[in-house]
Amino acid sequence: MLIEFIAATAAAFVGAGSAMLLRHLSGGRLPRILIPVAAAIGMFGFTIWGEYSWYDRTAQSLPEGIVVVRAQPEPSSFRPWTYLKPYTSRFMAVDTQAIRTNQAVPDQRLAEVIVFARLEPVRTIPLLVDCQAKRRADIVDGMNFGESGTITNADWQDMEAEDPLLRAICS
């Protein structure tokens, strides 16, 4: 966040400097108010660019094997322009190379869902997916694995057959 603040401040200086140069080249005919307006445009422009390009830049920088399974553009009430064009401020991915299976229960897979959110730390959520029954359960305290490898005390949630999370983990 500090780097973004520094970059936005630099964009404001570039905007103000450009306006000062234009004012100088025009022989002072352009109004002085142009300088702070150009600084504000530079700062807001950089901030808006950062918001709209964050998802693409972050998703493209993911290492091989991490698959984005859910990204949802969302509007924000304190950013009114997002009602016209929503931006993605969070998404979920799965590390397909870290999926684990148990030989005793081959249809159940243990995976970690990685949650990325703009200006927030990355979180991982351990998840158990039953590929045959098309359901999932978050790994929480109190869950136990029986001797046969089956899980007990799981709060199973049904999943759609075309759910990208199910496809990424089970394929």
Side-chain angles (χ1 to χ4, degrees):
M1 185 155 173
L2 178 63
I3 292 173
E4 287 191 20
F5 174 73
I6 292 169
T9 303
F13 276 107
V14 168
S18 299
M20 289 173 72
L21 179 64
L22 286 174
R23 190 166 185 279
H24 177 73
L25 292 175
S26 72
R29 289 188 295 266
L30 293 175
R32 276 191 206 157
I33 191 69
L34 183 65
I35 297 168
V37 168
I41 289 172
M43 186 175 277
F44 282 120
F46 173 80
T47 302
I48 292 169
W49 170 84
E51 289 175 345
Y52 279 97
S53 67
W54 172 81
Y55 167 69
D56 292 328
R57 288 182 289 124
T58 306
Q60 289 173 0
S61 70
L62 294 175
E64 193 172 321
I66 296 183
V67 178
V68 175
V69 293
R70 197 163 285 136
Q72 191 170 13
E74 54 191 43
S76 174
S77 59
F78 62 92
R79 293 176 180 103
W81 58 87
T82 61
Y83 286 101
L84 297 174
K85 185 175 181 340
Y87 74 100
T88 303
S89 64
R90 66 183 60 239
F91 67 95
M92 292 173 27
V94 173
D95 186 355
T96 58
Q97 295 176 345
I99 295 173
R100 294 176 286 192
T101 58
N102 183 344
Q103 302 294 1
V105 191
D107 290 330
Q108 291 183 359
R109 309 230 169 111
L110 187 61
E112 285 193 354
V113 175
I114 308 164
V115 180
F116 295 88
R118 181 160 159 74
L119 303 177
E120 292 180 22
V122 176
R123 293 180 295 138
T124 57
I125 302 168
L127 189 70
L128 182 67
V129 174
D130 187 337
C131 297
Q132 183 68 27
K134 295 178 180 54
R135 59 186 184 165
R136 69 175 178 83
D138 294 338
I139 305 293
V140 295
D141 290 337
M143 293 176 70
N144 297 314
F145 287 91
E147 289 182 25
S148 66
T150 59
I151 194 163
T152 59
N153 302 338
D155 182 21
W156 291 102
Q157 312 269 321
D158 290 332
M159 299 175 78
E160 298 290 324
E162 295 302 313
D163 190 325
L165 181 63
L166 181 70
R167 284 189 282 146
I169 294 173
C170 294
S171 60

